Amino acid sequence: MVSKKYRRTTIEIDEQLYKRIKALAVEKDRTMRDIISEALEEKLAHEEEKKDTMDSDFLRENPISKKIVGTMEKFISGDAALLLFVKKCESRGYNPSLIGREMLSDEFLLSLCNGMRYLSDVDKSECLKALKAAVGGY
Amino acid sequence: MFLDSIKGFDRIFHREPPEGSVTMVVGKPGTMKSSLVHAILSSYLWKNKGKKAVYITIEETEESHISNMKSLGIALPKNQYFIKDIASFKYEIAPTEDFLQDDKYFNFIISEISKPFGLYSKEAINDFPRLMALDSLNAFQTLFPLDSRLLRFRMQDFFQRLRHKKINSFIIVEGDPDVMIPEYFMMDGIIEVGIDRSHPQLPKRYVMVRKMRGVPHEMAPFMLNITKNGLEIGEPLIGWKR
């Protein structure tokens, strides 16, 4: 088993909070260090998870958006595909979670291809074809 | 690669640098750093039809690069040479200030830069470009509010991955070549470009190899000439002064 390395640090915390941590440590028969470390671990994990899902929740909620972004990822990075898709939706007043096939005009899909053009050498017509195929031709 | 690119590099290099070399091209503003790299890559590609290069521009748009190259008589081979225009893409997505200050922007840039080469991908990519240029390291670094040691660590990792995949890379840096920066130590090669002003009436552009691991090379500055066919390496400069 790998033992954890600890680093000594000094921070100031609210006195009442200090007392509560101390009381909890006594109650659980654990050290204050363990209680504080665990609480911080939980907080950091929560924040990281929040950050990861913040922009991409709609991909779980909407299969059409997911297919389009997935196809874009063949040509540009996942981060860039997400950014571009969200931006193009916003500029048309679309909510990426509520994208329907009727919203996917050639003009909208071409705007995605035009944006991708800066980052990929994909041909515009090939790009449009791939996006249409991804959402079933419609 | 150098010997098979613009005319006159055989005056400087006695053989080719090893594959996967990361070479910095450093010089003050207006010394033709970008033009030299475009010229090296494009002339190599014209002679090697199956090869590909990606030129990543963070500050200047593709349109501006193409127009500059045209004015110098440098033709970029269409199906082999791709300019990844992060400058224009940034304009396209109009990121918010929050986004720019976040690590997400760094991740986006790194993902985009590494995408064509599959540097961080678990899937093997065949036929990836073996040549890459990043213009510029200054633009890249100033975008990120990261701790400089962390940024340097990530850069080092990035360069290591390029070497591992045997991608010959050019990293453009704007600055005084005599002012040491930590990135100098990460490079396999350093090429300085500058303007010799020993004769103020007749300033001359030069190229000087300061370092190139694994290759015997000349240390003197050589003239960088603009001809109707693009750039060429000329005679060594005599009586040169910085």
Side-chain angles (χ1 to χ4, degrees):
Chain A
M1 202 176 101
V2 183
S3 62
K4 273 189 184 174
K5 276 187 180 170
Y6 287 92
R7 187 166 179 164
R8 184 178 292 274
T9 185
T10 307
I11 52 168
E12 287 178 359
I13 57 172
D14 174 75
E15 198 164 344
Q16 288 306 314
L17 180 63
Y18 177 87
K19 284 179 181 167
R20 283 166 61 200
I21 298 168
K22 195 165 186 181
L24 185 65
V26 171
E27 186 192 318
K28 301 263 181 196
D29 193 22
R30 303 192 54 199
T31 63
M32 283 180 67
R33 180 184 72 179
D34 287 348
I35 301 283
I36 293 170
S37 296
E38 262 178 35
L40 289 176
E41 289 279 5
E42 275 172 30
K43 171 72 179 164
L44 290 174
H46 176 69
E47 287 298 323
E48 276 158 20
E49 193 185 338
K50 212 165 81 182
K51 206 169 167 184
D52 284 348
T53 57
M54 212 155 36
D55 293 333
S56 52
D57 275 350
F58 69 86
L59 295 179
R60 282 199 300 271
E61 293 162 10
N62 188 308
I64 295 177
S65 295
K66 188 179 175 177
K67 277 186 183 169
I68 293 178
V69 173
T71 306
M72 291 167 74
E73 280 180 32
K74 289 181 189 163
F75 308 112
I76 61 177
S77 71
D79 292 313
L82 264 179
L83 280 169
L84 184 62
F85 182 70
V86 171
K87 203 66 189 179
K88 293 295 173 191
C89 284
E90 274 175 10
S91 67
R92 280 163 179 75
Y94 297 165
N95 178 342
S97 305
L98 302 173
I99 285 284
R101 286 190 180 180
E102 69 286 357
M103 297 167 168
L104 302 175
S105 61
D106 277 12
E107 190 257 331
F108 175 67
L109 296 180
L110 271 174
S111 73
L112 295 174
C113 294
N114 284 335
M116 281 196 274
R117 156 76 193 84
Y118 294 119
L119 303 177
S120 162
D121 55 356
V122 60
D123 175 72
K124 214 188 269 184
S125 59
E126 188 194 326
C127 169
L128 185 63
K129 207 168 134 188
L131 291 177
K132 280 183 167 183
V135 289
Y138 65 90
Chain B
M1 198 211 78
F2 284 98
L3 300 179
D4 210 6
S5 66
I6 64 177
K7 200 175 159 191
F9 254 127
D10 55 346
R11 294 172 187 265
I12 302 178
F13 292 113
H14 297 258
R15 65 165 185 262
E16 288 289 7
E19 280 195 329
S21 293
V22 181
T23 304
M24 180 186 280
V25 176
V26 59
K28 291 178 182 170
T31 48
M32 301 187 82
K33 300 175 287 296
S34 305
S35 307
L36 177 66
V37 174
H38 277 305
I40 294 172
L41 294 175
S42 58
S43 54
Y44 175 79
L45 292 177
W46 283 116
K47 292 172 192 163
N48 294 273
K49 287 294 177 193
K51 307 278 184 180
K52 286 179 186 170
V54 176
Y55 188 102
I56 298 153
T57 174
I58 296 179
E59 258 171 347
E60 196 181 338
T61 63
E62 177 188 13
E63 203 182 352
S64 160
H65 278 284
I66 289 177
S67 138
N68 288 340
M69 292 315 103
K70 211 170 169 186
S71 72
L72 290 170
I74 298 171
L76 309 173
K78 254 190 173 176
N79 296 323
Q80 295 166 268
Y81 201 81
F82 177 63
I83 299 181
K84 196 179 258 281
D85 184 355
I86 290 182
S88 297
F89 186 78
K90 202 168 72 180
Y91 180 76
E92 182 84 10
I93 57 164
T96 60
E97 266 185 42
D98 281 355
F99 178 80
L100 290 174
Q101 283 172 7
D102 202 308
D103 238 18
K104 266 186 263 172
Y105 192 56
F106 181 87
N107 292 337
F108 150 65
I109 301 268
I110 283 283
S111 309
E112 260 316 312
I113 291 177
S114 51
K115 170 88 177 171
F117 314 100
L119 291 186
Y120 295 85
S121 164
K122 283 176 191 156
E123 289 166 37
I125 297 182
N126 304 317
D127 195 29
F128 56 85
R130 306 292 165 147
L131 299 161
M132 189 276 266
L134 175 64
D135 187 355
S136 65
L137 188 68
N138 315 65
F140 184 70
Q141 291 181 329
T142 52
L143 289 172
F144 307 112
L146 293 174
D147 169 76
S148 59
R149 277 180 304 174
L150 180 60
L151 178 61
R152 219 157 273 138
F153 174 79
R154 290 192 186 179
M155 291 302 303
Q156 205 163 17
D157 174 65
F158 177 69
F159 295 147
Q160 206 50 43
R161 286 169 193 265
L162 290 170
R163 284 187 192 102
H164 181 70
K165 289 222 157 188
K166 299 200 181 311
I167 297 161
N168 290 314
S169 329
F170 291 91
I171 311 296
I172 295 172
V173 176
E174 185 162 298
D176 183 342
D178 277 339
V179 176
M180 289 296 281
I181 54 171
E183 283 75 11
Y184 280 7
F185 303 107
M186 297 182 196
M187 301 292 151
D188 301 307
I190 299 175
I191 297 177
E192 174 184 335
V193 284
I195 300 172
D196 170 38
R197 299 190 190 277
S198 330
H199 306 284
Q201 304 302 320
L202 198 63
K204 289 173 185 155
R205 296 185 184 282
Y206 69 83
V207 174
M208 182 167 74
V209 175
R210 291 187 145 219
K211 161 184 170 181
M212 191 60 77
R213 286 179 185 148
V215 193
H217 61 83
E218 297 299 321
M219 298 293 287
F222 285 73
M223 281 168 63
L224 179 62
N225 300 325
I226 303 172
T227 72
K228 62 177 182 180
N229 297 318
L231 303 183
E232 284 180 15
I233 307 291
E235 299 286 326
L237 280 176
I238 311 290
W240 171 79
K241 266 188 217 161
R242 195 178 292 284

